[in-house]
């Protein structure tokens, strides 16, 4: 009787694992150098699979349920053990339990900037971070590529191992998707959903994992790219750039903010821009908007006006030219002896008018 008890203690007749940790991804059943008894019972609970490994070779994978270990339900292991004609004996093999439930709320992030080639801005450096949920879908590949022979592979170890790998897959997927930098930086709420399937294609084939969700919480880009994005948004808000320039010129004339050289430069630049946009079909035959100080310009008149812009003088410049006080010049302007035009509260005198006044 003592001999039978001793022999029974050398064999394993029930294999099971109760997971109460909630953070264990894989667990190797401790055999204490014992052999598994013929027709032993293997118990696999929900959200688990049992993976047999014999001398470094992956054998059968059994799902949830109660299994009697014999040739019929472990055929691969039977072949590796050399069982022929249903000859069964106690055997040694490693049994790994792998958790298949979803592990939610895991963080990811780029420790270093990700280099991305963009059609608008060239090579762009960006950082990103967020969260993801995942589950194991291929226990063999997961044990081979991620967990290895660890007797209890936990979530914190997984995070350390996979952080750089996930960022690498994210970078490759983002580059292959050719998402514009403007969309990455401003629409990252949609970016995670768009990248989920391409990411999963890589994660399944490389690591036996599947992400059930991938969230990009924030993307940061260099300050110069942020400024470019802001300028692009401002240009979009402006709309018709030709109308915007002419509107600002009209306001400057009405308020007298432009100097003598400034008015000529602004008019010449505005007319040249208008001519260029009309030749490109940007304005067409649309009527000019009604704005304070706005002077409509036709395509035919634009070149002549650009060439015939007169030199305009302020009362101060006229006073300096005549060696008189500014008050004297204003008196002559009010009397009409010196011809000028009052725009708002400011006087402007053309060079021909000053010449006529000097000759008269």
């Amino acid at each position: 009787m003592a001999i039978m008890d001793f022999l029974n203690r050398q064999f394993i007749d029930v294999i099971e694992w109760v997971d109460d940790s909630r953070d264990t991804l894989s667990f190797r059943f401790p055999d204490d150098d014992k052999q598994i008894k013929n027709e032993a019972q293997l118990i696999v609970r929900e959200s688990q699979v049992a993976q047999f490994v014999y001398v470094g070779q992956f054998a059968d994978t059994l799902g949830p349920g109660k299994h009697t270990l014999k040739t019929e339900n472990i055929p691969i292991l039977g072949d590796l053990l050399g069982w022929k004609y249903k000859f069964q004996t106690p055997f040694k093999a490693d049994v790994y339990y792998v958790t298949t439930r979803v592990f939610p709320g895991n963080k990811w992030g780029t420790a270093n900037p990700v280099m991305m080639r963009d059609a608008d801005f060239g090579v762009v450096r960006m950082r990103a971070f967020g969260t993801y949920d995942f589950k194991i879908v291929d226990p063999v590949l997961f044990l081979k590529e991620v967990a290895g022979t660890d007797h209890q592979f936990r979530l914190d170890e997984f995070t350390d191992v996979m952080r750089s790998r996930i960022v690498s897959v994210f970078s490759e997927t983002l580059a292959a998707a050719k998402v514009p930098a403007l969309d990455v930086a401003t629409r990252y709420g949609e970016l995670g959903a768009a990248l989920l399937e391409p990411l999963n294609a890589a994660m399944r084939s490389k690591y036996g994992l599947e992400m059930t969700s991938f969230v990009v919480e924030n993307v940061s880009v260099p300050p110069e790219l942020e400024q470019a994005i802001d300028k692009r948004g401002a240009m979009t808000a402006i709309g018709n750039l030709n109308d915007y320039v002419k509107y600002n010129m009209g306001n400057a004339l009405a308020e007298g903010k432009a100097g003598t050289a400034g008015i000529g430069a602004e008019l010449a630049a505005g007319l040249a821009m208008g001519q260029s946009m009309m030749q490109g079909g940007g304005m067409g035959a649309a009527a000019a908007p009604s704005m304070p100080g706005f002077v409509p310009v036709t395509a035919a008149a634009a070149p002549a006006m650009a060439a015939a812009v007169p030199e305009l003088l302020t009362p101060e410049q006229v006073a300096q030219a005549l060696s008189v006080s500014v008050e004297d010049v204003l008196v002559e302007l009010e009397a009409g002896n010196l011809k000028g035009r009052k725009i708002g509260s400011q006087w402007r005198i053309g060079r021909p008018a000053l010449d006529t006044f000097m000759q008269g």
Side-chain angles (χ1 to χ4, degrees):
M1 188 69 177
I3 294 177
M4 293 300 298
D5 290 342
F6 172 77
L7 291 175
N8 287 334
R9 288 196 296 270
Q10 303 310 303
F11 300 111
I12 300 171
D13 51 9
V14 177
I15 302 173
E16 66 175 329
W17 174 53
V18 180
D19 179 17
D20 57 357
S21 65
R22 303 299 296 171
D23 67 345
T24 301
L25 279 72
S26 65
F27 176 80
R28 186 177 65 203
F29 180 78
D31 57 13
D32 298 325
D33 204 28
K34 297 179 182 179
Q35 292 185 316
I36 300 174
K37 184 179 179 182
N38 179 35
E39 297 190 353
Q41 300 298 306
L42 173 70
I43 300 173
V44 183
R45 289 175 167 77
E46 289 296 330
S47 301
Q48 294 178 350
V49 295
Q51 177 64 52
F52 284 90
V53 181
Y54 177 72
V55 194
Q57 300 182 71
F58 289 90
D60 303 273
T61 305
L62 301 180
K66 186 175 182 180
H67 308 275
T68 300
L69 300 181
K70 52 187 179 180
T71 306
E72 287 78 5
N73 59 10
I74 50 173
I76 301 175
L77 184 59
D79 290 342
L80 295 175
L81 291 167
W83 285 349
K84 297 181 179 178
Y85 312 110
K86 296 189 178 181
F87 177 74
Q88 300 175 5
T89 58
F91 61 92
K92 280 188 68 66
D94 292 325
V95 180
Y96 286 87
Y97 281 91
V98 178
T99 304
T100 58
R101 68 176 178 84
V102 174
F103 290 85
N106 304 280
K107 297 183 181 299
W108 67 272
T110 56
N112 298 308
V114 174
M115 305 299 289
M116 182 181 122
R117 189 175 297 277
D118 183 73
D120 295 326
F121 303 105
V123 177
V124 176
R125 293 175 293 106
M126 61 176 58
R127 297 177 183 270
F129 65 84
T131 60
Y132 65 95
D133 305 341
F134 77 95
K135 62 180 179 180
I136 300 168
V137 294
D138 188 336
V140 172
L141 191 57
F142 172 77
L143 290 172
K144 184 184 299 184
E145 299 296 334
V146 182
T149 59
D150 197 319
H151 77 283
Q152 187 171 10
F153 190 69
R154 294 180 178 274
L155 192 57
D156 55 351
E157 298 174 83
F158 172 85
T159 302
D160 293 338
V161 170
M162 293 300 296
R163 180 181 291 111
S164 60
R165 300 186 188 183
I166 290 174
V167 171
S168 175
V169 173
F170 167 77
S171 305
E172 294 171 2
T173 304
L174 187 62
K178 296 182 179 179
V179 180
L182 282 173
D183 289 343
V184 173
T186 60
R187 300 173 59 189
Y188 47 78
E190 304 169 17
L191 181 63
L195 293 179
L196 184 60
E197 187 52 41
L199 278 169
N200 273 334
M203 297 299 288
R204 290 190 200 101
S205 63
K206 291 183 177 181
Y207 309 115
L209 302 172
E210 179 179 294
M211 292 184 174
T212 56
S213 73
F214 185 80
V215 179
V216 180
E217 294 182 354
N218 186 46
V219 174
S220 60
V221 294
E224 56 270 21
L225 181 56
E226 290 184 354
Q227 294 173 7
I229 292 172
D230 292 342
K231 290 179 181 178
R232 180 70 61 86
M235 289 175 64
T236 302
I238 288 169
N240 189 319
L241 186 59
N242 184 44
D243 289 346
Y244 178 75
V245 170
K246 290 189 291 186
Y247 175 73
N248 282 346
M249 287 167 52
N251 283 343
L253 286 170
E255 297 174 6
K257 290 183 179 179
T260 302
I263 294 176
E266 289 177 6
L267 282 172
L271 290 173
M273 184 178 294
Q275 181 183 12
S276 174
M277 296 185 70
M278 286 186 289
Q279 288 174 350
M283 288 181 62
S290 176
M291 301 178 183
F294 178 80
V295 180
V297 179
T298 63
M305 289 185 62
V309 175
E311 183 180 355
L312 299 178
L313 304 175
T314 64
E316 290 79 1
Q317 292 171 322
V318 172
Q320 184 177 4
L322 299 178
S323 299
V324 297
S325 67
V326 176
E327 289 75 12
D328 292 335
V329 175
L330 293 176
V331 170
E332 294 298 326
L333 286 169
E334 294 290 348
N337 298 326
L338 174 60
K339 302 299 182 183
R341 181 175 295 276
K342 193 172 186 179
I343 303 173
S345 61
Q346 302 294 323
W347 284 95
R348 293 294 180 267
I349 304 95
R351 175 67 67 178
L354 178 59
D355 294 339
T356 300
F357 176 79
M358 292 291 292
Q359 295 171 2

